[in-house]
Amino acid sequence: MNASVAIQVLPHVATDEEVVRIVDEVIDYIRSTGETYYVGPCETAIEGDYDKLMEIVKQCQLIAIKAGCNKVSTYVKITYAPEEKVLTIDEKVTKHHQNQ
């Protein structure tokens, strides 16, 4: 694993219910990729190979459009280390979710 991304997909639609429906379709797609991911309240983190993650980012936007919005804003944060290991999702968040 040489990369991690955090992606927030914001469909431009009229209701919160439509936002949730479309974002759920995007998350279903992310789940289907087989990559390790973590859904947070404002963004989803995904870890894996850089090139594959960039394709996932692209597909997330296309899926949102296909799901019924005419416009989507996508915010992406990328950590990339071609020759080094990047911190995993577990290394970043597990300690904050213990004993809840």
Side-chain angles (χ1 to χ4, degrees):
M1 179 190 78
N2 63 6
S4 65
V5 300
I7 183 169
Q8 180 185 38
V9 175
L10 298 173
H12 294 247
V13 291
T15 67
D16 288 343
E17 290 79 14
E18 276 296 285
V19 170
V20 170
R21 182 187 66 77
I22 292 169
V23 169
D24 284 349
E25 288 195 34
V26 171
I27 293 169
D28 286 345
Y29 161 70
I30 292 169
R31 181 180 299 111
S32 77
T33 67
E35 299 299 320
T36 300
Y37 69 97
Y38 178 86
V39 177
C42 296
E43 64 188 15
T44 298
I46 317 164
E47 57 191 27
D49 173 72
Y50 176 81
D51 290 329
K52 186 165 186 182
L53 294 180
M54 293 303 97
E55 181 61 27
I56 290 170
V57 167
K58 175 184 172 183
Q59 290 302 317
C60 286
Q61 295 169 92
L62 297 175
I63 286 165
I65 297 295
K66 186 177 177 183
C69 64
N70 293 325
K71 182 178 177 183
V72 61
S73 295
T74 304
Y75 300 91
V76 180
K77 294 181 261 183
I78 303 166
T79 301
Y80 176 53
E83 302 299 325
E84 299 177 24
K85 174 186 172 292
V86 298
L87 288 173
T88 67
I89 292 168
D90 284 341
E91 291 169 328
K92 293 175 185 175
V93 302
T94 298
K95 66 184 173 189
H96 300 291
H97 295 283
Q98 295 177 359
N99 300 320
Q100 289 190 5

